[in-house]
Amino acid sequence: MKIFRTLLVGAALLVGTAFAADDPVKLGIDAGKAGAKIDRNLFGQFAEHLGHGIYGGIWVGADSNIPNTRGIRNDVVGALKAIKVPNIRWPGGCFADEYHWRKGIGPANQRPATLNPNWGGVIEPNTFGTHEFMDFLQQVGSEAYVSINLGSGTPAEAADWLEYMTTPLPTALAKERGANGHPEPFNVSFLGIGNEAWGCGGSMTPDTYVDHLKVFARYARNYNAAHPMKKIAVGPDGGDTGYTEAVMKAWKNKVWSWDIDGISLHSYTVVKWPPAFKATGFGEDEYATILKATLKMDELVKTHSAIMDSYDPQKKIALVVDEWGAWYAPTPGTDPGFLDQQNSQRDAVLAALNINIFARHADRVRMANIAQMVNVLQAMIFTDGPKMVLTPTYHVFRMYVPFQDATFVPVNLDAGTYKHGDIELPRLDAIAARDAAGKLWLAVTNVDPTRSASLEIDVAGTKPRRAQGETLAAPKVDSVNSFAAPSTVVPKPLTGRVAGGKVALTLAPASVSVVSIE
Ligand code: AHR
């Protein structure tokens, strides 16, 4: 009898726990309210001359057996078109401050071999230069974000590059551009005025950088009146506010001769330098630690935005998070200078959490570039010779396409807590937005890798008829896609159950889901 009672109590406890786990979480969408536009440029990419980021990953040369168009891989272009890459930052990164553009134009067989001291000390063949980058953008349907060399270059060199790329007038540089195959000016949408001037870009104090900024911002002009260009200054390294203060103060007191439109923030999810966390073969400890670290992005954005608000309450200057993502220990056996790392379901969750943070601050954060697009750090795509595989992070970017240029819609959610050891994180994270056609979209991440979540969605003022989309889940938090098994982590259809004017969704552990609600 005693045993029977214990069993009953045990069963009740189990059932109670099961109910607790399955109790629907209420999520309200204030569909009648509208926030800022979620700029499509928040989904920007970064392609540096680093490891196989360009050579092998994008550029194989016209003579390659790998199917290509004028030397650019067709498979990679096709995959990038599907995620509607709005802009690509190039040529670096640290590489940009040692890049001399003239070495990357003209007949390929006459371009000099130079060095890439930052990244493996390898030969830079210069076969992928300005024209190849612009061709690549045109094939992908993306816009140029060019970083000029402020560290080791001169203002005259930067000015000449801009004239070469953008003037429609028949100057000597424009004629040279024509002789190299492009008589029409190129479109340069964004210009980065140096990169990490506080580090690899010259180790400058904020004031020294500001002096350089004023000169380069003056002379690096866009002459293509038909296509405006925005200038982005170097900004903070993570939480350090020195550059934010100095650049914003200089901008506030600026004279007519120079201007900027944005200030960059670089912040990687790394926990501690040098990066030591493994990209695969990890468990829940590392899962929770990395996600806790990545959520600091919210704090960073708030800190820098508050300083920016004090100089620029009208939010004319954008905060451009043009390097973000996970940075892990390099894949064993690879050149550590090539920043090769695998990409798991944890990275999919990490990507969604960061995109959600940017979207919630869309009034100030109007551009972001994940590092990096192909084969480097938190990549979208891996290549190996003729093979290509799409990463879990790629799938998140594809699922989030409807959020590009959509209008932010507030969400109320009692997110609950995911607890692992001493780490406590919000169990769920969600954003909603309305696209140009008026359709409502919801993205929800279930951070908890141990429990599925049931959602009960209420859309204020409407009675939804249908909710459908996709969900990205995986067998394990460190599941990856490989060349041998490319479909371990791929989106699957997700349909909500609609009843009584509410939508019910079930979210798998450690999953990212995007649905439209009609
Ligand atoms: O993305 C790799 C490197 O990280 C970039 O070149 C540099 O800007 C940053 O430190």
Side-chain angles (χ1 to χ4, degrees):
M1 186 66 181
K2 200 170 164 209
I3 292 172
F4 182 64
R5 266 197 55 182
T6 314
L7 283 176
L8 268 183
V9 172
L13 276 176
L14 273 176
V15 170
T17 313
F19 275 141
D22 287 337
D23 262 358
V25 176
K26 293 190 185 338
L27 184 149
I29 304 180
D30 276 336
K33 294 197 185 137
K37 182 176 90 167
I38 301 171
D39 199 306
R40 68 179 186 281
N41 287 304
L42 287 181
F43 299 86
Q45 299 284 337
F46 175 28
E48 178 167 13
H49 289 237
L50 193 177
H52 300 294
I54 302 283
Y55 298 109
I58 294 170
W59 178 259
V60 286
D63 297 338
S64 171
N65 292 332
I66 300 170
N68 70 84
T69 302
R70 294 179 294 279
I72 295 163
R73 294 180 74 119
N74 294 344
D75 53 356
V76 169
V77 167
L80 293 174
K81 276 167 102 162
I83 57 171
K84 296 195 186 306
V85 177
N87 72 81
I88 301 175
R89 180 170 181 254
W90 173 86
C94 298
F95 180 83
D97 278 305
E98 293 190 81
Y99 184 60
H100 301 283
W101 67 274
R102 275 207 152 279
K103 298 182 177 163
I105 57 165
N109 59 5
Q110 287 168 30
R111 296 191 197 172
T114 55
L115 284 174
N116 189 339
N118 281 295
W119 304 119
V122 295
I123 293 270
E124 164 56 52
N126 283 299
T127 40
F128 190 89
T130 305
H131 289 255
E132 292 75 21
F133 174 58
M134 295 295 179
D135 188 10
F136 173 53
L137 290 174
Q138 193 254 321
Q139 290 186 36
V140 172
S142 191
E143 292 186 59
Y145 178 6
V146 173
S147 288
I148 53 172
N149 179 346
L150 178 139
S152 69
T154 63
E157 184 185 5
D160 282 354
W161 194 14
L162 266 292
E163 183 186 322
Y164 180 87
M165 287 190 285
T166 65
T167 185
L169 297 179
T171 66
L173 283 167
K175 285 182 185 161
E176 195 178 351
R177 185 187 68 223
N180 288 332
H182 207 277
E184 295 304 314
F186 291 118
N187 295 337
V188 180
S189 303
F190 306 98
L191 191 77
I193 308 197
N195 170 73
E196 296 193 355
W198 33 261
C200 65
S203 295
M204 298 176 197
T205 63
D207 289 342
T208 304
Y209 173 68
V210 164
D211 289 343
H212 282 71
L213 169 67
K214 289 174 182 171
V215 176
F216 278 78
R218 166 77 181 139
Y219 298 114
R221 295 186 179 97
N222 172 37
Y223 296 99
N224 184 351
H227 194 92
M229 179 182 88
K230 294 194 162 118
K231 293 183 180 171
I232 296 156
V234 173
D237 169 16
D240 190 334
T241 55
Y243 265 64
T244 322
E245 284 282 358
V247 172
M248 290 307 296
K249 187 170 170 200
W251 174 81
K252 170 102 178 154
N253 300 317
K254 75 182 164 55
V255 291
W256 61 270
S257 57
W258 70 280
D259 205 352
I260 53 169
D261 304 280
I263 172 168
S264 102
L265 161 65
H266 287 187
S267 175
Y268 286 95
T269 301
V270 73
V271 182
K272 199 166 126 226
W273 294 96
F277 274 69
K278 288 193 288 178
T280 55
F282 57 85
E284 196 174 344
D285 283 352
E286 295 88 345
Y287 173 83
T289 307
I290 286 289
L291 294 185
K292 182 178 175 198
T294 216
L295 287 172
K296 289 195 183 132
M297 180 62 85
D298 189 55
E299 217 173 282
L300 289 181
V301 168
K302 282 184 184 142
T303 301
H304 296 296
S305 297
I307 297 171
M308 295 175 78
D309 285 349
S310 69
Y311 293 102
D312 171 30
Q314 291 174 307
K315 301 191 194 295
K316 291 184 178 157
I317 304 291
L319 183 60
V320 176
V321 191
D322 55 12
E323 285 189 32
W324 69 274
W327 192 327
Y328 303 125
T331 305
T334 61
D335 184 331
F338 285 7
L339 310 188
D340 253 299
Q341 66 185 40
Q342 246 298 359
N343 193 294
S344 69
Q345 178 66 8
R346 177 180 62 187
D347 297 302
V349 171
L350 183 153
L353 293 175
N354 279 277
I355 295 168
N356 293 354
I357 292 169
F358 302 149
R360 282 194 276 267
H361 295 283
D363 56 345
R364 181 63 87 178
V365 183
R366 299 197 284 270
M367 183 153 159
N369 300 74
I370 188 167
Q372 298 193 5
M373 191 165 66
V374 186
N375 291 331
V376 177
L377 297 176
Q378 192 175 344
M380 306 293 117
I381 295 172
F382 295 138
T383 63
D384 180 14
K387 292 179 274 187
M388 180 186 84
V389 67
L390 306 175
T391 67
T393 301
Y394 172 92
H395 292 303
V396 170
F397 272 68
R398 224 256 304 115
M399 288 161 66
Y400 267 76
V401 163
F403 286 84
Q404 294 197 14
D405 282 342
T407 304
F408 187 84
V409 172
V411 163
N412 313 302
L413 167 71
D414 182 8
T417 305
Y418 157 55
K419 204 167 169 340
H420 178 72
D422 295 340
I423 299 177
E424 289 193 11
L425 303 174
R427 179 185 171 205
L428 297 170
D429 191 51
I431 58 164
R434 200 176 280 291
D435 69 17
K439 201 185 249 191
L440 190 61
W441 292 89
L442 174 70
V444 199
T445 297
N446 180 6
V447 175
D448 193 326
T450 61
R451 282 201 300 169
S452 59
S454 308
L455 268 190
E456 185 186 280
I457 303 162
D458 180 41
V459 184
T462 62
K463 286 213 185 310
R465 284 174 292 112
R466 197 168 37 206
Q468 57 191 20
E470 288 176 297
T471 188
L472 188 71
K476 295 189 294 165
V477 283
D478 70 336
S479 294
V480 300
N481 292 332
S482 64
F483 297 110
S487 304
T488 306
V489 188
V490 288
K492 304 254 164 47
L494 177 68
T495 305
R497 297 174 301 283
V498 180
K502 307 240 164 83
V503 177
L505 274 185
T506 305
L507 310 171
S511 63
V512 179
S513 306
V514 173
V515 291
S516 66
I517 302 178
E518 292 168 272

